[in-house]
Each structure stands twice: as C-alpha cells, then as structure tokens.
Amino acid sequence: MKNILKLIVLGIIAFGIIVYATAEKPASDKQVVVNSSSLKVENLPQEFELVGKDTKIARDELFEEKAKTLIVVGNHDSLAVVKDLPKFYEMDIAYVMVANISSAPWFVKKMFIPSKLEELNAETNIPMIYDFEGNMVNALAVTDNAKTSYIAYLVNEDGSIVEVAKGNVKEGALDGTMSEEEKKQALAPLAAYLK
C-alpha cells in the first residue's frame, strides 16, 4: 500500500514538472493603452477563435461592413446572464459575446475553460469569442476583469465602436443564483441599443 501511495505522489509531482516545463509562457502581461474614443473595427484582431469552432473566423465575417453589431465582454458569472439577452429582449442587430479570460492562468485556460464555455454557449447560436491572449480585450481597452461585470460596445455602420453600457450580475449567477427577473433587470441597460 505504501509503494502505491509513493507511486501516486511521484506521478503527480512528475506530471506537475512536465506541465511546468512544457507550458507556453504568456507573451506579455502589459495591456495596450487605447483611447476609447477612437475605437474602430479595423483596430480589432484580424481573426478570432470562437467557442465550439475548430477553425478561426475572420474579422470581416463576424463584423459585417455597414451593419450594427452589439459586442458584450463578460467574464464567468456575467456570461451566464449575458447569453440570455435575446430571451428577454427583441434583438434586431447582430450580437457577439467575448469571453474575457485572458487573465486566467494558462493551464486553466487550456484545460478547463474551453469546455465550460462550450457548455455555457451550447443552447445559443450567438458567436462567443474565446479571447485566450486578450487581443480583443486590449483592442477594446477593457480593464475590468471582475467575474460579475460586463461591458457592452456598439459597432456602428461607419465602423466606429462606442461603449454603451456597463452592468453587473449577482455573484454565483453561473451556478443559477439569479432568477429570470433578476437576469432581465441586469440586462436592462442594453435594451435601448438592440434596435
């Protein structure tokens, strides 16, 4: 029994060393400072990784020219509520969610977050950007990484992007702590921009 226990402990230690030694180190922890009054579609990354998709999608496919698009950047609990926006409010414009997970540890981003995001977005047909390296968040000048907050941007027909709303959800919303009415209230600041 002691030998089996030793093997298990040594196996865990070896696994930890292998993971640490082979892990990709983050390119940079510096955030790019962007003037939020000069945000434009052309400043966004050229392509995006979408949750549940094997191939990347080009910026022009996701953000159509001369069309309005709502972008909502969320994290953890807020994404669980933001994904229900079309359920509570009529939407006449395109809608894209951004999973703000760039500040999570790399191992968590590789091993756990993708499956959780796929599970979260399984019931919707809303594109969700998996912002692994934080390129989208940096391009939009998002500095709030709180798991209960969201920030919404409107892409106008001329390609300019403006911040239109900020909101918060109840902690634990991912686990179902919010009622349908509470979710609707949390998303109310976005209702004016959906037409």
PDB file of all heavy atoms in Angstrom, residues 61-97:
ATOM      1  N   GLU A  61     -15.981  38.554 -41.407  1.00  0.00           N
ATOM      2  CA  GLU A  61     -17.121  37.633 -41.363  1.00  0.00           C
ATOM      3  C   GLU A  61     -17.960  37.852 -40.116  1.00  0.00           C
ATOM      4  O   GLU A  61     -19.180  37.716 -40.143  1.00  0.00           O
ATOM      5  CB  GLU A  61     -16.640  36.179 -41.386  1.00  0.00           C
ATOM      6  CG  GLU A  61     -16.078  35.727 -42.702  1.00  0.00           C
ATOM      7  CD  GLU A  61     -15.643  34.276 -42.638  1.00  0.00           C
ATOM      8  OE1 GLU A  61     -16.495  33.417 -42.329  1.00  0.00           O
ATOM      9  OE2 GLU A  61     -14.455  34.016 -42.882  1.00  0.00           O
ATOM     10  N   LEU A  62     -17.298  38.184 -39.023  1.00  0.00           N
ATOM     11  CA  LEU A  62     -18.002  38.367 -37.759  1.00  0.00           C
ATOM     12  C   LEU A  62     -18.641  39.744 -37.648  1.00  0.00           C
ATOM     13  O   LEU A  62     -19.744  39.885 -37.124  1.00  0.00           O
ATOM     14  CB  LEU A  62     -17.019  38.138 -36.605  1.00  0.00           C
ATOM     15  CG  LEU A  62     -17.599  37.831 -35.240  1.00  0.00           C
ATOM     16  CD1 LEU A  62     -18.515  36.627 -35.285  1.00  0.00           C
ATOM     17  CD2 LEU A  62     -16.482  37.600 -34.241  1.00  0.00           C
ATOM     18  N   PHE A  63     -17.947  40.747 -38.164  1.00  0.00           N
ATOM     19  CA  PHE A  63     -18.456  42.124 -38.116  1.00  0.00           C
ATOM     20  C   PHE A  63     -18.679  42.596 -39.548  1.00  0.00           C
ATOM     21  O   PHE A  63     -17.747  43.065 -40.208  1.00  0.00           O
ATOM     22  CB  PHE A  63     -17.466  43.040 -37.390  1.00  0.00           C
ATOM     23  CG  PHE A  63     -17.207  42.613 -35.977  1.00  0.00           C
ATOM     24  CD1 PHE A  63     -16.046  41.939 -35.638  1.00  0.00           C
ATOM     25  CD2 PHE A  63     -18.140  42.846 -34.986  1.00  0.00           C
ATOM     26  CE1 PHE A  63     -15.803  41.527 -34.344  1.00  0.00           C
ATOM     27  CE2 PHE A  63     -17.918  42.436 -33.684  1.00  0.00           C
ATOM     28  CZ  PHE A  63     -16.749  41.771 -33.366  1.00  0.00           C
ATOM     29  N   GLU A  64     -19.895  42.471 -40.011  1.00  0.00           N
ATOM     30  CA  GLU A  64     -20.215  42.829 -41.387  1.00  0.00           C
ATOM     31  C   GLU A  64     -20.099  44.330 -41.598  1.00  0.00           C
ATOM     32  O   GLU A  64     -20.441  45.125 -40.722  1.00  0.00           O
ATOM     33  CB  GLU A  64     -21.625  42.360 -41.739  1.00  0.00           C
ATOM     34  CG  GLU A  64     -21.764  40.854 -41.783  1.00  0.00           C
ATOM     35  CD  GLU A  64     -23.165  40.415 -42.145  1.00  0.00           C
ATOM     36  OE1 GLU A  64     -23.916  41.223 -42.736  1.00  0.00           O
ATOM     37  OE2 GLU A  64     -23.505  39.270 -41.826  1.00  0.00           O
ATOM     38  N   GLU A  65     -19.643  44.685 -42.783  1.00  0.00           N
ATOM     39  CA  GLU A  65     -19.468  46.092 -43.135  1.00  0.00           C
ATOM     40  C   GLU A  65     -20.825  46.786 -43.215  1.00  0.00           C
ATOM     41  O   GLU A  65     -21.801  46.217 -43.702  1.00  0.00           O
ATOM     42  CB  GLU A  65     -18.748  46.184 -44.492  1.00  0.00           C
ATOM     43  CG  GLU A  65     -18.164  47.535 -44.760  1.00  0.00           C
ATOM     44  CD  GLU A  65     -17.328  47.547 -46.027  1.00  0.00           C
ATOM     45  OE1 GLU A  65     -16.736  46.499 -46.364  1.00  0.00           O
ATOM     46  OE2 GLU A  65     -17.299  48.606 -46.672  1.00  0.00           O
ATOM     47  N   LYS A  66     -20.880  48.014 -42.737  1.00  0.00           N
ATOM     48  CA  LYS A  66     -22.082  48.862 -42.757  1.00  0.00           C
ATOM     49  C   LYS A  66     -23.264  48.219 -42.036  1.00  0.00           C
ATOM     50  O   LYS A  66     -24.417  48.349 -42.445  1.00  0.00           O
ATOM     51  CB  LYS A  66     -22.462  49.224 -44.189  1.00  0.00           C
ATOM     52  CG  LYS A  66     -21.376  50.006 -44.905  1.00  0.00           C
ATOM     53  CD  LYS A  66     -21.857  50.529 -46.222  1.00  0.00           C
ATOM     54  CE  LYS A  66     -20.752  51.079 -47.051  1.00  0.00           C
ATOM     55  NZ  LYS A  66     -20.251  52.339 -46.765  1.00  0.00           N
ATOM     56  N   ALA A  67     -22.965  47.512 -40.945  1.00  0.00           N
ATOM     57  CA  ALA A  67     -24.020  46.898 -40.130  1.00  0.00           C
ATOM     58  C   ALA A  67     -23.697  47.118 -38.659  1.00  0.00           C
ATOM     59  O   ALA A  67     -22.531  47.122 -38.264  1.00  0.00           O
ATOM     60  CB  ALA A  67     -24.116  45.403 -40.423  1.00  0.00           C
ATOM     61  N   LYS A  68     -24.724  47.314 -37.864  1.00  0.00           N
ATOM     62  CA  LYS A  68     -24.540  47.469 -36.425  1.00  0.00           C
ATOM     63  C   LYS A  68     -24.341  46.098 -35.786  1.00  0.00           C
ATOM     64  O   LYS A  68     -24.966  45.120 -36.186  1.00  0.00           O
ATOM     65  CB  LYS A  68     -25.763  48.130 -35.790  1.00  0.00           C
ATOM     66  CG  LYS A  68     -25.843  49.609 -35.981  1.00  0.00           C
ATOM     67  CD  LYS A  68     -26.969  50.164 -35.151  1.00  0.00           C
ATOM     68  CE  LYS A  68     -27.004  51.665 -35.219  1.00  0.00           C
ATOM     69  NZ  LYS A  68     -28.040  52.220 -34.338  1.00  0.00           N
ATOM     70  N   THR A  69     -23.491  46.053 -34.777  1.00  0.00           N
ATOM     71  CA  THR A  69     -23.251  44.834 -34.016  1.00  0.00           C
ATOM     72  C   THR A  69     -23.065  45.206 -32.559  1.00  0.00           C
ATOM     73  O   THR A  69     -22.363  46.171 -32.248  1.00  0.00           O
ATOM     74  CB  THR A  69     -21.981  44.099 -34.506  1.00  0.00           C
ATOM     75  OG1 THR A  69     -22.082  43.866 -35.905  1.00  0.00           O
ATOM     76  CG2 THR A  69     -21.794  42.775 -33.787  1.00  0.00           C
ATOM     77  N   LEU A  70     -23.687  44.448 -31.690  1.00  0.00           N
ATOM     78  CA  LEU A  70     -23.501  44.629 -30.254  1.00  0.00           C
ATOM     79  C   LEU A  70     -22.428  43.661 -29.790  1.00  0.00           C
ATOM     80  O   LEU A  70     -22.499  42.463 -30.081  1.00  0.00           O
ATOM     81  CB  LEU A  70     -24.815  44.357 -29.515  1.00  0.00           C
ATOM     82  CG  LEU A  70     -24.769  44.551 -28.002  1.00  0.00           C
ATOM     83  CD1 LEU A  70     -24.598  46.026 -27.648  1.00  0.00           C
ATOM     84  CD2 LEU A  70     -26.023  43.998 -27.350  1.00  0.00           C
ATOM     85  N   ILE A  71     -21.418  44.179 -29.101  1.00  0.00           N
ATOM     86  CA  ILE A  71     -20.363  43.346 -28.517  1.00  0.00           C
ATOM     87  C   ILE A  71     -20.508  43.442 -27.005  1.00  0.00           C
ATOM     88  O   ILE A  71     -20.528  44.547 -26.460  1.00  0.00           O
ATOM     89  CB  ILE A  71     -18.957  43.847 -28.907  1.00  0.00           C
ATOM     90  CG1 ILE A  71     -18.779  43.892 -30.416  1.00  0.00           C
ATOM     91  CG2 ILE A  71     -17.882  42.993 -28.252  1.00  0.00           C
ATOM     92  CD1 ILE A  71     -17.477  44.566 -30.854  1.00  0.00           C
ATOM     93  N   VAL A  72     -20.589  42.296 -26.343  1.00  0.00           N
ATOM     94  CA  VAL A  72     -20.642  42.299 -24.882  1.00  0.00           C
ATOM     95  C   VAL A  72     -19.484  41.472 -24.361  1.00  0.00           C
ATOM     96  O   VAL A  72     -19.355  40.292 -24.676  1.00  0.00           O
ATOM     97  CB  VAL A  72     -21.978  41.750 -24.348  1.00  0.00           C
ATOM     98  CG1 VAL A  72     -22.003  41.837 -22.821  1.00  0.00           C
ATOM     99  CG2 VAL A  72     -23.156  42.523 -24.926  1.00  0.00           C
ATOM    100  N   VAL A  73     -18.630  42.125 -23.565  1.00  0.00           N
ATOM    101  CA  VAL A  73     -17.478  41.473 -22.963  1.00  0.00           C
ATOM    102  C   VAL A  73     -17.859  41.068 -21.549  1.00  0.00           C
ATOM    103  O   VAL A  73     -18.275  41.899 -20.747  1.00  0.00           O
ATOM    104  CB  VAL A  73     -16.255  42.419 -22.917  1.00  0.00           C
ATOM    105  CG1 VAL A  73     -15.056  41.732 -22.286  1.00  0.00           C
ATOM    106  CG2 VAL A  73     -15.922  42.937 -24.301  1.00  0.00           C
ATOM    107  N   GLY A  74     -17.749  39.778 -21.273  1.00  0.00           N
ATOM    108  CA  GLY A  74     -18.117  39.288 -19.950  1.00  0.00           C
ATOM    109  C   GLY A  74     -17.116  38.291 -19.429  1.00  0.00           C
ATOM    110  O   GLY A  74     -16.198  37.868 -20.131  1.00  0.00           O
ATOM    111  N   ASN A  75     -17.327  37.895 -18.183  1.00  0.00           N
ATOM    112  CA  ASN A  75     -16.388  37.001 -17.523  1.00  0.00           C
ATOM    113  C   ASN A  75     -17.143  36.165 -16.498  1.00  0.00           C
ATOM    114  O   ASN A  75     -17.861  36.705 -15.677  1.00  0.00           O
ATOM    115  CB  ASN A  75     -15.315  37.847 -16.847  1.00  0.00           C
ATOM    116  CG  ASN A  75     -14.132  37.056 -16.385  1.00  0.00           C
ATOM    117  OD1 ASN A  75     -14.139  35.829 -16.395  1.00  0.00           O
ATOM    118  ND2 ASN A  75     -13.105  37.750 -15.955  1.00  0.00           N
ATOM    119  N   HIS A  76     -16.998  34.882 -16.536  1.00  0.00           N
ATOM    120  CA  HIS A  76     -17.584  33.943 -15.594  1.00  0.00           C
ATOM    121  C   HIS A  76     -19.095  34.131 -15.429  1.00  0.00           C
ATOM    122  O   HIS A  76     -19.858  33.787 -16.306  1.00  0.00           O
ATOM    123  CB  HIS A  76     -16.898  34.032 -14.220  1.00  0.00           C
ATOM    124  CG  HIS A  76     -15.478  33.602 -14.215  1.00  0.00           C
ATOM    125  ND1 HIS A  76     -14.456  34.407 -14.634  1.00  0.00           N
ATOM    126  CD2 HIS A  76     -14.909  32.442 -13.857  1.00  0.00           C
ATOM    127  CE1 HIS A  76     -13.321  33.757 -14.523  1.00  0.00           C
ATOM    128  NE2 HIS A  76     -13.568  32.550 -14.060  1.00  0.00           N
ATOM    129  N   ASP A  77     -19.491  34.691 -14.276  1.00  0.00           N
ATOM    130  CA  ASP A  77     -20.911  34.821 -13.946  1.00  0.00           C
ATOM    131  C   ASP A  77     -21.662  35.695 -14.944  1.00  0.00           C
ATOM    132  O   ASP A  77     -22.799  35.396 -15.302  1.00  0.00           O
ATOM    133  CB  ASP A  77     -21.083  35.399 -12.533  1.00  0.00           C
ATOM    134  CG  ASP A  77     -20.686  34.412 -11.449  1.00  0.00           C
ATOM    135  OD1 ASP A  77     -20.840  33.198 -11.664  1.00  0.00           O
ATOM    136  OD2 ASP A  77     -20.233  34.854 -10.384  1.00  0.00           O
ATOM    137  N   SER A  78     -21.039  36.773 -15.404  1.00  0.00           N
ATOM    138  CA  SER A  78     -21.754  37.692 -16.294  1.00  0.00           C
ATOM    139  C   SER A  78     -22.101  37.040 -17.632  1.00  0.00           C
ATOM    140  O   SER A  78     -23.162  37.299 -18.191  1.00  0.00           O
ATOM    141  CB  SER A  78     -20.963  38.980 -16.506  1.00  0.00           C
ATOM    142  OG  SER A  78     -19.713  38.714 -17.091  1.00  0.00           O
ATOM    143  N   LEU A  79     -21.246  36.159 -18.147  1.00  0.00           N
ATOM    144  CA  LEU A  79     -21.550  35.485 -19.415  1.00  0.00           C
ATOM    145  C   LEU A  79     -22.768  34.580 -19.294  1.00  0.00           C
ATOM    146  O   LEU A  79     -23.518  34.413 -20.251  1.00  0.00           O
ATOM    147  CB  LEU A  79     -20.349  34.670 -19.895  1.00  0.00           C
ATOM    148  CG  LEU A  79     -19.199  35.460 -20.495  1.00  0.00           C
ATOM    149  CD1 LEU A  79     -18.037  34.532 -20.822  1.00  0.00           C
ATOM    150  CD2 LEU A  79     -19.626  36.220 -21.723  1.00  0.00           C
ATOM    151  N   ALA A  80     -22.964  33.996 -18.113  1.00  0.00           N
ATOM    152  CA  ALA A  80     -24.119  33.121 -17.893  1.00  0.00           C
ATOM    153  C   ALA A  80     -25.425  33.891 -18.019  1.00  0.00           C
ATOM    154  O   ALA A  80     -26.459  33.330 -18.389  1.00  0.00           O
ATOM    155  CB  ALA A  80     -24.026  32.460 -16.520  1.00  0.00           C
ATOM    156  N   VAL A  81     -25.389  35.184 -17.744  1.00  0.00           N
ATOM    157  CA  VAL A  81     -26.585  36.026 -17.847  1.00  0.00           C
ATOM    158  C   VAL A  81     -26.661  36.683 -19.219  1.00  0.00           C
ATOM    159  O   VAL A  81     -27.718  36.699 -19.859  1.00  0.00           O
ATOM    160  CB  VAL A  81     -26.581  37.101 -16.727  1.00  0.00           C
ATOM    161  CG1 VAL A  81     -27.750  38.057 -16.882  1.00  0.00           C
ATOM    162  CG2 VAL A  81     -26.606  36.430 -15.357  1.00  0.00           C
ATOM    163  N   VAL A  82     -25.543  37.194 -19.712  1.00  0.00           N
ATOM    164  CA  VAL A  82     -25.500  37.902 -20.990  1.00  0.00           C
ATOM    165  C   VAL A  82     -25.963  37.014 -22.150  1.00  0.00           C
ATOM    166  O   VAL A  82     -26.595  37.480 -23.088  1.00  0.00           O
ATOM    167  CB  VAL A  82     -24.073  38.452 -21.235  1.00  0.00           C
ATOM    168  CG1 VAL A  82     -23.898  38.922 -22.645  1.00  0.00           C
ATOM    169  CG2 VAL A  82     -23.775  39.575 -20.263  1.00  0.00           C
ATOM    170  N   LYS A  83     -25.691  35.724 -22.083  1.00  0.00           N
ATOM    171  CA  LYS A  83     -26.096  34.822 -23.166  1.00  0.00           C
ATOM    172  C   LYS A  83     -27.617  34.757 -23.330  1.00  0.00           C
ATOM    173  O   LYS A  83     -28.118  34.397 -24.378  1.00  0.00           O
ATOM    174  CB  LYS A  83     -25.539  33.421 -22.932  1.00  0.00           C
ATOM    175  CG  LYS A  83     -26.253  32.630 -21.864  1.00  0.00           C
ATOM    176  CD  LYS A  83     -25.718  31.225 -21.747  1.00  0.00           C
ATOM    177  CE  LYS A  83     -26.409  30.438 -20.687  1.00  0.00           C
ATOM    178  NZ  LYS A  83     -27.756  30.051 -20.998  1.00  0.00           N
ATOM    179  N   ASP A  84     -28.349  35.147 -22.279  1.00  0.00           N
ATOM    180  CA  ASP A  84     -29.819  35.119 -22.323  1.00  0.00           C
ATOM    181  C   ASP A  84     -30.438  36.418 -22.820  1.00  0.00           C
ATOM    182  O   ASP A  84     -31.664  36.563 -22.810  1.00  0.00           O
ATOM    183  CB  ASP A  84     -30.380  34.792 -20.931  1.00  0.00           C
ATOM    184  CG  ASP A  84     -30.135  33.347 -20.534  1.00  0.00           C
ATOM    185  OD1 ASP A  84     -29.965  32.513 -21.437  1.00  0.00           O
ATOM    186  OD2 ASP A  84     -30.122  33.060 -19.323  1.00  0.00           O
ATOM    187  N   LEU A  85     -29.638  37.359 -23.269  1.00  0.00           N
ATOM    188  CA  LEU A  85     -30.155  38.647 -23.748  1.00  0.00           C
ATOM    189  C   LEU A  85     -31.264  38.497 -24.785  1.00  0.00           C
ATOM    190  O   LEU A  85     -32.320  39.111 -24.653  1.00  0.00           O
ATOM    191  CB  LEU A  85     -29.003  39.499 -24.283  1.00  0.00           C
ATOM    192  CG  LEU A  85     -29.326  40.919 -24.714  1.00  0.00           C
ATOM    193  CD1 LEU A  85     -29.897  41.735 -23.568  1.00  0.00           C
ATOM    194  CD2 LEU A  85     -28.085  41.604 -25.263  1.00  0.00           C
ATOM    195  N   PRO A  86     -31.104  37.652 -25.818  1.00  0.00           N
ATOM    196  CA  PRO A  86     -32.179  37.506 -26.815  1.00  0.00           C
ATOM    197  C   PRO A  86     -33.456  36.876 -26.239  1.00  0.00           C
ATOM    198  O   PRO A  86     -34.519  37.008 -26.822  1.00  0.00           O
ATOM    199  CB  PRO A  86     -31.570  36.587 -27.880  1.00  0.00           C
ATOM    200  CG  PRO A  86     -30.105  36.646 -27.668  1.00  0.00           C
ATOM    201  CD  PRO A  86     -29.904  36.906 -26.218  1.00  0.00           C
ATOM    202  N   LYS A  87     -33.340  36.205 -25.121  1.00  0.00           N
ATOM    203  CA  LYS A  87     -34.508  35.587 -24.487  1.00  0.00           C
ATOM    204  C   LYS A  87     -35.410  36.644 -23.841  1.00  0.00           C
ATOM    205  O   LYS A  87     -36.629  36.498 -23.818  1.00  0.00           O
ATOM    206  CB  LYS A  87     -34.009  34.595 -23.426  1.00  0.00           C
ATOM    207  CG  LYS A  87     -35.093  33.819 -22.725  1.00  0.00           C
ATOM    208  CD  LYS A  87     -34.478  32.620 -22.018  1.00  0.00           C
ATOM    209  CE  LYS A  87     -34.357  32.860 -20.549  1.00  0.00           C
ATOM    210  NZ  LYS A  87     -33.867  31.692 -19.810  1.00  0.00           N
ATOM    211  N   PHE A  88     -34.804  37.721 -23.362  1.00  0.00           N
ATOM    212  CA  PHE A  88     -35.561  38.746 -22.642  1.00  0.00           C
ATOM    213  C   PHE A  88     -35.921  39.960 -23.492  1.00  0.00           C
ATOM    214  O   PHE A  88     -36.899  40.650 -23.207  1.00  0.00           O
ATOM    215  CB  PHE A  88     -34.767  39.224 -21.421  1.00  0.00           C
ATOM    216  CG  PHE A  88     -34.490  38.138 -20.424  1.00  0.00           C
ATOM    217  CD1 PHE A  88     -33.194  37.756 -20.141  1.00  0.00           C
ATOM    218  CD2 PHE A  88     -35.527  37.486 -19.786  1.00  0.00           C
ATOM    219  CE1 PHE A  88     -32.933  36.758 -19.235  1.00  0.00           C
ATOM    220  CE2 PHE A  88     -35.275  36.481 -18.871  1.00  0.00           C
ATOM    221  CZ  PHE A  88     -33.973  36.113 -18.589  1.00  0.00           C
ATOM    222  N   TYR A  89     -35.123  40.254 -24.513  1.00  0.00           N
ATOM    223  CA  TYR A  89     -35.344  41.454 -25.308  1.00  0.00           C
ATOM    224  C   TYR A  89     -35.279  41.116 -26.794  1.00  0.00           C
ATOM    225  O   TYR A  89     -34.461  40.301 -27.219  1.00  0.00           O
ATOM    226  CB  TYR A  89     -34.290  42.530 -24.985  1.00  0.00           C
ATOM    227  CG  TYR A  89     -34.344  42.989 -23.551  1.00  0.00           C
ATOM    228  CD1 TYR A  89     -33.454  42.492 -22.606  1.00  0.00           C
ATOM    229  CD2 TYR A  89     -35.305  43.901 -23.137  1.00  0.00           C
ATOM    230  CE1 TYR A  89     -33.511  42.901 -21.288  1.00  0.00           C
ATOM    231  CE2 TYR A  89     -35.365  44.316 -21.814  1.00  0.00           C
ATOM    232  CZ  TYR A  89     -34.469  43.814 -20.886  1.00  0.00           C
ATOM    233  OH  TYR A  89     -34.538  44.214 -19.587  1.00  0.00           O
ATOM    234  N   GLU A  90     -36.123  41.782 -27.572  1.00  0.00           N
ATOM    235  CA  GLU A  90     -36.109  41.589 -29.023  1.00  0.00           C
ATOM    236  C   GLU A  90     -34.848  42.230 -29.590  1.00  0.00           C
ATOM    237  O   GLU A  90     -34.528  43.375 -29.284  1.00  0.00           O
ATOM    238  CB  GLU A  90     -37.354  42.233 -29.626  1.00  0.00           C
ATOM    239  CG  GLU A  90     -37.524  41.945 -31.088  1.00  0.00           C
ATOM    240  CD  GLU A  90     -38.807  42.545 -31.632  1.00  0.00           C
ATOM    241  OE1 GLU A  90     -39.813  42.590 -30.902  1.00  0.00           O
ATOM    242  OE2 GLU A  90     -38.768  42.977 -32.787  1.00  0.00           O
ATOM    243  N   MET A  91     -34.148  41.483 -30.419  1.00  0.00           N
ATOM    244  CA  MET A  91     -32.895  41.974 -30.982  1.00  0.00           C
ATOM    245  C   MET A  91     -32.984  42.052 -32.497  1.00  0.00           C
ATOM    246  O   MET A  91     -33.303  41.066 -33.146  1.00  0.00           O
ATOM    247  CB  MET A  91     -31.744  41.053 -30.578  1.00  0.00           C
ATOM    248  CG  MET A  91     -31.498  41.026 -29.091  1.00  0.00           C
ATOM    249  SD  MET A  91     -29.979  40.168 -28.659  1.00  0.00           S
ATOM    250  CE  MET A  91     -28.758  41.196 -29.420  1.00  0.00           C
ATOM    251  N   ASP A  92     -32.689  43.235 -33.027  1.00  0.00           N
ATOM    252  CA  ASP A  92     -32.680  43.429 -34.471  1.00  0.00           C
ATOM    253  C   ASP A  92     -31.271  43.594 -35.023  1.00  0.00           C
ATOM    254  O   ASP A  92     -31.101  43.802 -36.213  1.00  0.00           O
ATOM    255  CB  ASP A  92     -33.510  44.665 -34.839  1.00  0.00           C
ATOM    256  CG  ASP A  92     -34.979  44.473 -34.518  1.00  0.00           C
ATOM    257  OD1 ASP A  92     -35.445  43.321 -34.493  1.00  0.00           O
ATOM    258  OD2 ASP A  92     -35.663  45.481 -34.272  1.00  0.00           O
ATOM    259  N   ILE A  93     -30.275  43.548 -34.150  1.00  0.00           N
ATOM    260  CA  ILE A  93     -28.893  43.710 -34.615  1.00  0.00           C
ATOM    261  C   ILE A  93     -28.087  42.460 -34.261  1.00  0.00           C
ATOM    262  O   ILE A  93     -28.481  41.672 -33.407  1.00  0.00           O
ATOM    263  CB  ILE A  93     -28.224  44.970 -34.005  1.00  0.00           C
ATOM    264  CG1 ILE A  93     -28.098  44.848 -32.479  1.00  0.00           C
ATOM    265  CG2 ILE A  93     -28.982  46.219 -34.377  1.00  0.00           C
ATOM    266  CD1 ILE A  93     -27.280  45.966 -31.859  1.00  0.00           C
ATOM    267  N   ALA A  94     -26.958  42.308 -34.937  1.00  0.00           N
ATOM    268  CA  ALA A  94     -26.071  41.173 -34.651  1.00  0.00           C
ATOM    269  C   ALA A  94     -25.488  41.314 -33.245  1.00  0.00           C
ATOM    270  O   ALA A  94     -25.371  42.423 -32.712  1.00  0.00           O
ATOM    271  CB  ALA A  94     -24.952  41.132 -35.684  1.00  0.00           C
ATOM    272  N   TYR A  95     -25.115  40.200 -32.676  1.00  0.00           N
ATOM    273  CA  TYR A  95     -24.695  40.159 -31.289  1.00  0.00           C
ATOM    274  C   TYR A  95     -23.504  39.216 -31.151  1.00  0.00           C
ATOM    275  O   TYR A  95     -23.537  38.095 -31.654  1.00  0.00           O
ATOM    276  CB  TYR A  95     -25.887  39.669 -30.461  1.00  0.00           C
ATOM    277  CG  TYR A  95     -25.670  39.455 -28.992  1.00  0.00           C
ATOM    278  CD1 TYR A  95     -24.896  40.307 -28.237  1.00  0.00           C
ATOM    279  CD2 TYR A  95     -26.277  38.385 -28.348  1.00  0.00           C
ATOM    280  CE1 TYR A  95     -24.725  40.104 -26.886  1.00  0.00           C
ATOM    281  CE2 TYR A  95     -26.120  38.176 -26.997  1.00  0.00           C
ATOM    282  CZ  TYR A  95     -25.335  39.050 -26.271  1.00  0.00           C
ATOM    283  OH  TYR A  95     -25.168  38.839 -24.929  1.00  0.00           O
ATOM    284  N   VAL A  96     -22.441  39.680 -30.499  1.00  0.00           N
ATOM    285  CA  VAL A  96     -21.237  38.879 -30.283  1.00  0.00           C
ATOM    286  C   VAL A  96     -20.843  38.984 -28.814  1.00  0.00           C
ATOM    287  O   VAL A  96     -20.815  40.080 -28.259  1.00  0.00           O
ATOM    288  CB  VAL A  96     -20.064  39.378 -31.168  1.00  0.00           C
ATOM    289  CG1 VAL A  96     -18.783  38.623 -30.865  1.00  0.00           C
ATOM    290  CG2 VAL A  96     -20.413  39.272 -32.640  1.00  0.00           C
ATOM    291  N   MET A  97     -20.531  37.840 -28.198  1.00  0.00           N
ATOM    292  CA  MET A  97     -20.035  37.839 -26.826  1.00  0.00           C
ATOM    293  C   MET A  97     -18.527  37.614 -26.855  1.00  0.00           C
ATOM    294  O   MET A  97     -18.014  36.929 -27.738  1.00  0.00           O
ATOM    295  CB  MET A  97     -20.686  36.723 -26.009  1.00  0.00           C
ATOM    296  CG  MET A  97     -22.157  36.929 -25.744  1.00  0.00           C
ATOM    297  SD  MET A  97     -22.850  35.704 -24.608  1.00  0.00           S
ATOM    298  CE  MET A  97     -22.762  34.213 -25.592  1.00  0.00           C
TER     299      MET A  97
END
